[in-house]
Every structure is written in structure tokens, then in C-alpha cells.
Amino acid sequence: MEMIDCFIPFLSPVRAGQTVKELRACKKVKNIYLLSTVPDCGKVEGSEILYVDSLKSTATCRTIALHADTDYILVYTAGTAFELGLFALERMSAIAGDTDAGMLYADRYQVKDGNYKPAPVIDYQKGSLRDDFDFGSLLFFRSSVLRQAVEAMDADYRFAGLYDLRLRVSELSELVHINEYLYSEVESDTRRSGEKLFDYVDPKNRAVQIEMESACTAYLKRVGGYLAPDFEPIAFDAGSFEQEASVIIPVRNRIRTIEDAIRSVLAQKTTFRFNLIIVDNHSTDGTSEAIGKYASDERVIHLIPERFDLGIGGCWNVGVHHPACGKFAVQLDSDDVYSGPDTLQKIVNAFYEQNCAMVVGTYRMTDFKMDEIPPGIIDHREWTPENGRNNALRINGLGAPRAFYTPVLRQINLPNTSYGEDYALGLRISRTWQIGRIYDVLYLCRRWEDNSDAALDVVKMNGHNTYKDRIRTWELQARIALNAHSSN
């Protein structure tokens, strides 16, 4: 019989005892190890306690590889209790045998106040490089693959060990998603989706992010997807433009905020000509009429597309390809505002100073009334000129406000989607050209109930994450092909 060794975080003697008792009910379980970061925490019958420095460190991965002597390894990564489904380990073991997978993970239920809520996960792709990819908390490894991956680990991470492990496992074998609910976990993070989006840029997580970037960069080098910091220069002499810059606002049904956005653009003080292109995607709540109030200002261009199948990216394409679009196209969302009258000037200056095809600024998170809310200033300092375009494959966004050299944007175009379109564009631009950064606060980003990502259900969140992973997959494939062509 193929056997399983289990490695579970030690939470408390009572919880550990319950977990051990449940695992022992499966005849395939041989050894149960409780991973404790606290020495001398006591004993739990039917298990052995292993002292580790961190539950996600390289040292812990090595400890697991050293102690496992069975065909499969079960690792539970959460600090909460869990319940196995009926014959769950038997099912995982059977699918592991059928597929020869290096790692498996499954859908699960999250238990809150006694209620079982489905929490499905998504399929792993080559571009699933986010360190926060949601596998659930129960990972099932083929022991031989895990040992081979651990043996190759050549860096000692305190935070990124488990991330490094799964990247290396993915190089050796397939990571298989079992579309079945095989266990339940007690939900510990009950924040809405919009409150979780910015964890990776929270300054208190900076040490973690440095390690994650290092592990991801090493992976890209191994698979041929790493790009050295060599960029195509831009002469800024393509085309003829009457306006130096155009602010582009795609909008649909933002009657409460659109005039704030318009006024913040018209208040800009610059040494060059600029205009405002509003692509009004058939609003029905009075937004169109509100925009009409500014028709007397020759800088305001109000476009209503002939098409009815446009997402945010499609609306951007309409604005960028309009004859009145300026040399630089600058983003402003319809519910946000620029932080001051010098935003546009700073952005245009950055293009020339940094010789880049795209500029990304810094923004401040606020509530609807423009009062700052946590995590406050989002500056994306994880970006560096040397490695930013590689690390961009690991993170979920590049920042705001974003601005683009229009000839490049017209060459590439945005995907006609309403999520991830800006990220896809940023990845593509970074493959060839430099992306400039401004670390002054240029933008006030409102978080309120009408944000498109404020409170997404799990199905929509999974759809968004699947699409961004697909974007990363395509980009990674393109970079690998580019490197292969360059080496020939």
C-alpha cells in the first residue's frame, strides 16, 4: 500500500490531538509530524513534533524532505483547524498515481460560524507565478519529486522557501488541481476581496517580498524567461501630435464621481498643450449629461462609441486611436482624481527624463470622501529598473496612474476586457521598453462600494485570477521564445 507522511502546523495540544486522531483514521497515513516554531511545546500521542524556524522557510522544506519516508507527503499550510472529507486522502493518492503529478491540490469548504461555504481554486498554469496563488491550504506531494526539488534548492529563505519549492516542483512535474471538495478549513481571512488586493505592497511585508522576488527571478533564469535590463530607446519623434498629452477616462454610470475626475484634469497646470478624452460607454444614469456641462471647454472631447461590445480596454483603444489624442496618453479612472495640479507635468517630464514607453506613478488610498485609508500610500517600490520587468510576472499590478507613449500604445493596443487590461499592456511594454517610475503621490484612488473589485465573490475572483495567470503565461512564453531566438 502506498503510504502518506503528514506535516501539520502545531496549533495547540487540543487541536493537534483532534487533527492527529482524524488523520489516523486513514490507513494510508504512516507518520504524522507536527511543525512547531516553539520549542518544548509538549507531546501529542500518535505524532512526533519537529521544531522549525518558520512554517514556510527553506529549512522547513529540508526538514520535511529529510523525515518523509513514504510515497506521498501531505503538507497543511494554514494556522487553523481542518477536516478531511470522506476518503479524501485515498482520492488524492489515487489521482496522484493516475496522473504521475508532482503536487496535487483540491477545492475545499471554508467553515465560518458552522456554515460550510464552497471555496474552489483554479488550475495552475505556467504563468501562475504569483507567490499568493491560492492552492488552498492542503498540498499533496509525490515524495520523490519533493526530495528532488529540495535537493536543488540553493538559497536559504525564511519566507519564500515553500514558494521556491513549488516553483521547482513545477519544473519537474505537473501540478494537478482536483476539482472536488476534499477538505474543510476554518476561514481566517474574512476581509472583502477589495481589502486583500494590496497586501503585497504593504510596507510591513517588504522583507517577504524581497525574498519572493529573488525566488521568482531565479526561476525565470532557470526556465529561460529572464530578461536582462536592456531596453530599446525611444526618440519620441514618431507621428505628429497637436497635443503633448491626453488624459483618457473610460466611464460608464459614474454620476457620483465623474465631475470630480473632470475637474481634477482641467485644473492641471502645464507648459504644454493637453486635452481630456472621455470615452462614455453608453451611460444611463446621467453621467453623459454631467459630462455635457463641460462641452464649452475646447480641451474636453466627449466620445460615445458606436460599438456596444467594449470593455475598459476597448474604450481605451477608442480614445488612443482618436485623431485628437496627444503624444502621451495618461490614465485617470472615472472615480479617482489627481492629487494636485502638477500631476500631468510630472508624468510628461518623466518620459523624457527616463526615456521610457510607460510611466507609473504613486497613489494614495482613500475613502469616498478622500480621507486616507490603510494601507495609505502605494508606491510599488518593489519595482527596480534592473529587475522590474521580471518581478512584474510575480505581482498582480504595476501601480497607478499609468501613462503611455501613444505610438507604442497604438502599435500594441489593449485587450478588450474590463479587468487586467492595463496589466497585460504593462507586461508587453516591459518586454521591450523601459517603464519609468514616479514616487511622488500623483493620484487619489477611492475605495468605495462601487469599485469593480470591491467585493467579488469567489467565482469572479477566480475568473480574474485565471485571466491574469493566462496573461502571464502568454508573456512568459513570449520571453522564452525571445531569449531562444536571441541566442541563435
Side-chain angles (χ1 to χ4, degrees):
M1 179 187 297
E2 293 179 321
M3 302 298 288
I4 304 167
D5 280 343
C6 303
F7 295 82
I8 312 297
F10 179 85
L11 304 177
S12 69
V14 173
R15 283 189 176 182
Q18 294 171 342
T19 301
V20 169
K21 182 179 180 180
E22 181 167 359
L23 289 171
R24 284 295 175 200
C26 176
K27 294 181 181 180
K28 285 181 169 289
V29 171
K30 180 181 180 182
N31 300 304
I32 301 175
Y33 297 99
L34 301 178
L35 305 176
S36 175
T37 57
V38 179
D40 303 322
C41 58
K43 296 183 179 180
V44 176
E45 185 177 354
S47 67
E48 179 181 343
I49 294 180
L50 302 176
Y51 176 69
V52 296
D53 61 342
S54 163
L55 295 177
K56 297 184 178 182
S57 70
T58 302
T60 297
C61 294
R62 292 184 178 129
T63 296
I64 292 172
L66 178 66
H67 284 81
D69 63 358
T70 54
D71 302 285
Y72 298 110
I73 297 169
L74 174 73
V75 178
Y76 187 69
T77 62
T80 57
F82 75 100
E83 304 169 358
L84 285 173
L86 185 63
F87 298 121
L89 296 186
E90 290 86 349
R91 180 61 171 160
M92 298 188 90
S93 178
I95 295 176
D98 292 340
T99 62
D100 201 33
M103 190 187 100
L104 301 93
Y105 59 104
D107 297 339
R108 82 282 198 193
Y109 294 104
Q110 291 180 330
V111 184
K112 181 180 179 183
D113 300 328
N115 297 314
Y116 286 69
K117 181 178 65 175
V121 292
I122 62 177
D123 290 351
Y124 193 85
Q125 307 175 46
K126 290 186 181 296
S128 299
L129 300 182
R130 292 175 294 120
D131 55 87
D132 62 350
F133 183 92
D134 183 14
F135 293 100
S137 51
L138 197 154
L139 309 178
F140 195 84
F141 292 94
R142 183 176 298 276
S143 298
S144 59
V145 174
L146 182 142
R147 292 193 197 97
Q148 186 178 350
V150 168
E151 186 176 347
M153 294 171 76
D154 53 5
D156 288 306
Y157 297 120
R158 177 171 175 77
F159 307 106
L162 194 59
Y163 176 55
D164 186 23
L165 174 65
R166 74 96 152 160
L167 290 176
R168 292 179 182 275
V169 168
S170 73
E171 296 174 60
L172 300 171
S173 187
E174 188 177 1
L175 275 58
V176 171
H177 168 210
I178 302 176
N179 303 74
E180 301 170 11
Y181 292 86
L182 296 185
Y183 66 104
S184 303
E185 62 187 14
V186 178
E187 186 175 8
S188 59
D189 191 346
T190 59
R191 294 174 298 164
R192 300 192 306 170
S193 61
E195 297 173 327
K196 304 176 186 179
L197 293 175
F198 305 97
D199 286 351
Y200 71 100
V201 288
D202 193 325
K204 71 176 183 293
N205 296 328
R206 185 71 185 117
V208 176
Q209 294 306 311
I210 289 172
E211 285 198 2
M212 298 298 182
E213 178 177 355
S214 175
C216 183
T217 302
Y219 168 81
L220 292 174
K221 289 180 178 179
R222 293 194 301 271
V223 301
Y226 171 83
L227 295 180
D230 302 317
F231 305 95
E232 287 189 12
I234 295 180
F236 298 115
D237 59 359
S240 176
F241 298 92
E242 293 185 5
Q243 309 289 330
E244 181 75 354
S246 291
V247 175
I248 297 181
I249 303 179
V251 62
R252 176 176 168 82
N253 292 345
R254 280 289 185 266
I255 185 60
R256 294 178 62 188
T257 59
I258 186 60
E259 291 194 67
D260 290 341
I262 292 171
R263 285 192 291 265
S264 78
V265 175
L266 299 182
Q268 294 300 300
K269 305 297 183 183
T270 66
T271 59
F272 50 79
R273 288 168 55 89
F274 72 90
N275 61 16
L276 167 60
I277 300 176
I278 305 172
V279 185
D280 177 9
N281 200 8
H282 307 283
S283 296
T284 59
D285 67 344
T287 295
S288 300
E289 291 75 13
I291 298 170
K293 297 178 184 178
Y294 301 86
S296 61
D297 192 318
E298 63 179 9
R299 295 173 296 174
V300 177
I301 299 172
H302 183 189
L303 304 179
I304 299 179
E306 295 180 0
R307 304 184 66 101
F308 288 83
D309 61 349
L310 298 180
I312 292 174
C315 289
W316 255 88
N317 290 333
V318 168
V320 168
H321 285 274
H322 191 275
C325 185
K327 181 186 292 187
F328 302 106
V330 186
Q331 169 248 344
L332 179 62
D333 288 348
S334 58
D335 49 2
D336 299 328
V337 300
Y338 292 141
S339 61
D342 56 352
T343 290
L344 203 52
Q345 185 72 54
K346 287 181 177 179
I347 289 173
V348 170
N349 289 349
F351 277 103
Y352 294 108
E353 293 167 357
Q354 301 181 47
N355 193 253
C356 49
M358 177 178 175
V359 169
V360 183
T362 295
Y363 60 96
R364 187 190 310 275
M365 301 289 296
T366 76
D367 59 19
F368 188 81
K369 296 179 180 179
M370 302 294 184
D371 295 322
E372 183 173 328
I373 59 174
I377 295 175
I378 307 295
D379 55 18
H380 283 271
R381 287 188 182 271
E382 77 281 354
W383 183 277
T384 63
E386 296 76 22
N387 200 50
R389 61 178 175 177
N390 295 302
N391 195 40
L393 288 168
R394 180 187 66 86
I395 60 179
N396 237 4
L398 302 183
R402 298 168 292 275
F404 312 93
Y405 179 45
T406 297
V408 167
L409 191 49
R410 286 175 172 172
Q411 174 185 336
I412 297 173
N413 292 314
L414 283 85
N416 184 28
T417 65
S418 292
Y419 179 81
E421 73 290 337
D422 51 344
Y423 180 62
L425 180 62
L427 287 182
R428 174 59 190 92
I429 287 176
S430 72
R431 189 196 315 167
T432 304
W433 299 280
Q434 176 70 279
I435 293 181
R437 307 296 305 205
I438 299 175
Y439 293 111
D440 298 333
V441 173
L442 303 180
Y443 194 86
L444 302 182
C445 179
R446 281 173 163 154
R447 303 301 300 173
W448 61 302
E449 65 273 13
D450 276 5
N451 285 137
S452 59
D453 55 5
L456 301 178
D457 61 32
V458 67
V459 174
K460 289 183 179 179
M461 280 292 295
N462 282 349
H464 285 178
N465 286 328
T466 296
Y467 178 59
K468 278 199 170 178
D469 283 352
R470 181 62 65 194
I471 291 169
R472 278 183 279 264
T473 297
W474 294 328
E475 183 61 29
L476 178 58
Q477 290 171 331
R479 295 182 182 195
I480 291 173
L482 176 65
N483 286 332
H485 178 75
S486 299
S487 63
N488 291 334

